[in-house]
Amino acid sequence: MRAEKIRTYTKKNWAFLLLCALFVGWALAFIYHSSYAASDGRRYFNLFDDAMISMRYAWNFSHGNGLVWNVGERVEGYTNLLMTLVMSITTLVFEKRYAVLVIQLMGIFFMLATAFTTLKIFQILSQRKNDIAEYLLFLVILLYYPLNFWSLMGMETGLLAFLLSMGVLCSILYTEKLDGKYLWLMSISFGLAHLTRNESLLFAALAFYYLLPTLKLDKKYLQWFVFAGVLYSLFVIGQLTFRYLYYAEFVPNTYTLKLVGMALDERLRNGRGFIQPFLIETGFIIVISLIGIFFKSSKLKAYLFGFFLISVVYQIYVGGDSWNYWRIMAPSMPLLFVIFIFSISEFFSRASNRAATTALVTLSIIGLYSANARFIREFLLIDLAYQNNYAQAHVETAIAINELTDENATIGVFWGGTLPYYVNRVAIDFLGKSDKYIASLPPDVSGQSAGFGMNSIPGHNKHDLTYSIQTLLPTYVEEFDYGTEKLSGWAQDHYVRVKYNNVKLFLLKDSPNVNWEKVTTLLKW
C-alpha cells in the first residue's frame, strides 16, 4: 500500500513537472517573439511601456542617481515600489537590454509560484483527492493570458498575484492550525503586496477581517492578531514615511494624475464602461463560481470570491484603466479559478468518474476559452504582444537619438517607457506621470482621448503641450497633437522633420545638441 502511494505521488509530481516544462517552453517562445533584432545588429528585449518607466527609475537608482526618472528631479511616477527595487537589482548587474530579459524571466517564476500556491489553496478547500481538478486548475492559471501577458511583460501584476495568493494561503492555514508562523507570514506577504501596489491594502483588510473569529478562542490569539496588524502597518507607515521624506508628498504623483480633479460620478461612469467587457468575457466563470457559492455555501469560498470582488469594485472606482487587458483584476483571477474548478467538481460529485471528468474538462475549457478568446492570436504567437510593435519602433528611435544628439539634448514623449529607458537624456513627460505640474491639471473629459468604453482614460487625460513643447522646447518631440491640443502648425516654424536610418524624427531647428552633419534627409510635414 505504501509503495503504491509513493508511485502515485511520484506520478503526480511528474505530471506537474511536465506541465511546468510546457509552460516554460511557451513563455520562452513568447519572450523571444517579443524581442527585436534592431538596426544596430543587437537584440533588444522589451517590457510593456509602463514597466519600462519603472526600469528607468531602477536604472537611475542602481547607478547612484536616486529613485528618479530624471536625475535631479524627485517625482514618484511609479506605483510599484517593490517591483522597481527588484528591477534595480537587475539593472545593477546587467546592461540595459539583458536587465529587461531577466525581468521577463522573473515573470515565469511569478506565474509558476502563483499556480503552485493557488493549487495548495484548492487542496485545502477541496479536502479530498481530485487529481484531474488539480491539473486543470494548474493549467487554467498558467494559460490565463492577461496574467501571463502582464507578468512576462514586466509589470508588477505577476509579483502581486504571487504575494496575494501566498497571503491568502497563510491566512487559511492560520485559521486551520492556529500556528503563529502563518500569521506572521501572512502579514509579511500582504506587507510586500502593499509595497507592490498600495491598493492591496484592501486585500489585507479582508484577510484580517477573515481572521476575526480566532480572537474569541484565547487571549494569546488576540495578542498575535495585534502583533500581526502592527507588523503589516510597518510596511504601510514605512512607505509613507519614505515617500514624504524623499518626494515631499504623501501620495504618489500617479495618484494625483489619475484621481485628483476627476469627479467621482465621471470616474464611476468610466469604470462601469471599462469593466463591462471584462464581466462578459469572464461571465461564464463568474456565474459558475457564484452558483457554486450558493449551491453549497462556505465561508472560505466567500472569502476567496471577496478578493475578486474587491478588484472589480476598485477598478470601477478608479475610473477604468488605460489598457483593456485586465491588469487590475488579473492578480485575483487565480482565486476565482479555485472557486470555478471546485464548483464544477461539487456539481458532479455524485456522477460517475467518467461523467464527472468529462464535465470538469469541458466546462473548464469553455471558461478558459471565453476568458482568453480575444487574446488567442497573441497567445499562439501569431500576432505580436499588445503594443509590442510600438516598443520596437521606440527602440529604433532610441538608437537614432543616441547617434544624432549629445547628452545635453532633451526628449519630449507621450510614451514614457521604452524610449527614455534606452536614451540617457532628460525626458519631458507630456502626460504627466513624472511631471507634477501636468499631474495637477484638470483632466480633459472631452472624449478626444477616450477608449475602451470610457469618456476619458485615467493617466492619459491631463496634458499641456503649450507648456511641455512650446515652453520647454525639447530637442526631440514625439508628436505635436493630442486630444484637443494641436500644435502641428506652430511646430513647422520651430522643428524640422528628418529621416535618419529609416527613422523619422521631429528635431528642434538649429539645436546645438544635434549633430546636423549626420542628418542627410529632410522630410516635408
Side-chain angles (χ1 to χ4, degrees):
M1 178 67 73
R2 180 177 175 82
E4 183 179 344
K5 284 185 177 180
I6 292 175
R7 282 195 299 272
T8 302
Y9 183 75
T10 303
K11 182 178 178 181
K12 187 175 181 179
N13 278 352
W14 276 109
F16 280 115
L17 286 175
L18 176 60
L19 294 177
C20 289
L22 291 173
F23 170 74
V24 170
W26 174 84
L28 291 175
F30 177 92
I31 291 171
Y32 182 80
H33 186 62
S34 67
S35 67
Y36 177 61
S39 59
D40 64 357
R42 302 194 300 172
R43 181 164 293 277
Y44 286 78
F45 298 90
N46 297 299
L47 307 179
F48 195 74
D49 198 68
D50 267 37
M52 294 295 269
I53 293 175
S54 298
M55 287 293 285
R56 180 171 163 109
Y57 275 89
W59 181 270
N60 282 330
F61 180 62
S62 63
H63 288 78
N65 295 317
L67 199 55
V68 296
W69 198 57
N70 286 322
V71 178
E73 299 177 5
R74 292 198 176 184
V75 183
E76 189 179 359
Y78 56 86
T79 54
N80 51 358
L81 175 61
L82 181 59
M83 189 68 187
T84 303
L85 293 177
V86 170
M87 288 174 168
S88 70
I89 298 173
T90 69
T91 55
L92 177 65
V93 177
F94 301 97
E95 63 127 315
K96 286 189 175 182
R97 292 178 299 126
Y98 294 117
V100 169
L101 173 60
V102 172
I103 292 300
Q104 289 193 285
L105 295 176
M106 282 186 183
I108 299 176
F109 167 78
F110 293 144
M111 285 296 303
L112 291 173
T114 300
F116 275 112
T117 306
T118 310
L119 177 63
K120 182 62 178 177
I121 294 173
F122 177 84
Q123 291 170 341
I124 295 173
L125 176 63
S126 180
Q127 294 184 342
R128 63 187 181 90
K129 183 179 176 182
N130 190 335
D131 289 349
I132 298 299
E134 292 179 15
Y135 296 147
L136 283 171
L137 174 65
F138 197 73
L139 268 176
V140 166
I141 294 171
L142 292 181
L143 295 180
Y144 182 56
Y145 185 78
L147 185 56
N148 265 307
F149 171 79
W150 294 116
S151 300
L152 298 178
M153 295 306 283
M155 295 293 278
E156 68 279 359
T157 311
L159 174 59
L160 181 59
F162 167 58
L163 292 172
L164 173 59
S165 60
M166 179 59 72
V168 172
L169 173 61
C170 290
S171 67
I172 296 171
L173 289 173
Y174 176 69
T175 59
E176 288 198 340
K177 302 177 182 295
L178 294 177
D179 186 337
K181 68 181 179 183
Y182 295 115
L183 187 58
W184 321 143
L185 287 172
M186 184 200 81
S187 296
I188 293 171
S189 295
F190 281 115
L192 292 174
H194 178 83
L195 299 184
T196 305
R197 295 280 306 185
N198 284 176
E199 65 267 20
S200 69
L201 175 70
L202 300 172
F203 295 145
L206 176 60
F208 278 102
Y209 176 78
Y210 179 70
L211 300 184
L212 285 180
T214 62
L215 303 184
K216 302 175 182 179
L217 300 177
D218 192 279
K219 185 178 180 180
K220 72 174 181 179
Y221 300 124
L222 172 60
Q223 295 172 340
W224 287 3
F225 186 89
V226 171
F227 178 79
V230 171
L231 179 60
Y232 174 76
S233 298
L234 291 177
F235 289 90
V236 179
I237 296 172
Q239 186 178 15
L240 279 173
T241 303
F242 164 74
R243 178 179 291 138
Y244 183 75
L245 293 177
Y246 196 78
Y247 296 109
E249 301 283 353
F250 281 114
V251 295
N253 193 60
T254 50
Y255 175 91
T256 305
L257 177 68
K258 295 179 180 181
L259 294 182
V260 174
M262 193 167 182
L264 178 59
D265 61 338
E266 183 70 31
R267 286 211 317 271
L268 296 179
R269 185 160 52 248
N270 262 6
R272 289 194 298 269
F274 177 81
I275 205 74
Q276 285 175 1
F278 169 77
L279 296 177
I280 293 172
E281 288 179 4
T282 57
F284 183 81
I285 296 171
I286 296 171
V287 169
I288 293 293
S289 300
L290 286 174
I291 293 174
I293 291 173
F294 290 109
F295 173 73
K296 191 174 181 181
S297 62
S298 77
K299 183 180 177 182
L300 181 52
K301 284 194 285 188
Y303 175 53
L304 297 178
F305 188 79
F307 290 98
F308 172 75
L309 187 61
I310 285 173
S311 299
V312 171
V313 172
Y314 176 78
Q315 182 70 93
I316 295 172
Y317 171 75
V318 298
D321 201 4
S322 305
W323 319 283
N324 59 347
Y325 273 50
W326 319 136
R327 175 176 62 111
I328 299 299
M329 284 75 70
S332 64
M333 284 299 292
L335 301 177
L336 183 67
F337 289 141
V338 169
I339 307 172
F340 173 65
I341 298 296
F342 180 66
S343 296
I344 299 172
S345 300
E346 280 192 315
F347 296 158
F348 297 95
S349 59
R350 297 184 179 180
S352 65
N353 286 339
R354 184 168 184 175
T357 299
T358 301
L360 188 58
V361 172
T362 302
L363 294 177
S364 297
I365 291 174
I366 292 173
L368 181 63
Y369 178 78
S370 63
N372 271 351
R374 185 161 56 88
F375 316 110
I376 288 297
R377 289 182 62 86
E378 288 183 36
F379 182 86
L380 296 177
L381 308 184
I382 298 172
D383 293 340
L384 284 174
Y386 180 52
Q387 296 192 349
N388 192 237
N389 57 320
Y390 295 110
Q392 295 182 4
H394 293 152
V395 166
E396 291 295 346
T397 302
I399 294 170
I401 291 174
N402 283 331
E403 293 181 2
L404 279 178
T405 67
D406 63 26
E407 61 183 10
N408 295 316
T410 58
I411 59 173
V413 295
F414 291 102
W415 297 74
T418 302
L419 180 57
Y421 175 71
Y422 284 120
V423 175
N424 187 26
R425 308 285 189 271
V426 170
I428 299 167
D429 185 357
F430 293 165
L431 296 182
K433 196 163 190 178
S434 296
D435 188 315
K436 290 185 178 182
Y437 165 71
I438 299 296
S440 65
L441 294 175
D444 175 9
V445 292
S446 65
Q448 294 292 316
S449 58
F452 314 135
M454 298 181 290
N455 185 51
S456 185
I457 301 178
H460 292 70
N461 56 12
K462 294 182 178 181
H463 45 87
D464 182 353
L465 298 187
T466 299
Y467 160 78
S468 298
I469 298 177
Q470 290 183 330
T471 300
L472 299 182
L473 290 175
T475 311
Y476 160 84
V477 171
E478 192 171 2
E479 293 288 348
F480 293 96
D481 300 334
Y482 188 80
T484 57
E485 291 191 274
K486 312 292 182 183
L487 294 186
S488 293
W490 170 88
Q492 292 182 39
D493 295 327
H494 297 83
Y495 283 80
V496 293
R497 190 166 179 253
V498 307
K499 185 177 181 181
Y500 179 77
N501 288 348
N502 293 320
V503 178
K504 298 175 182 178
L505 305 169
F506 292 110
L507 298 176
L508 183 65
K509 277 185 180 180
D510 303 321
S511 171
N513 305 125
V514 176
N515 187 342
W516 293 105
E517 293 180 0
K518 289 185 176 182
V519 177
T520 58
T521 307
L522 295 178
L523 300 175
K524 293 182 180 180
W525 282 74

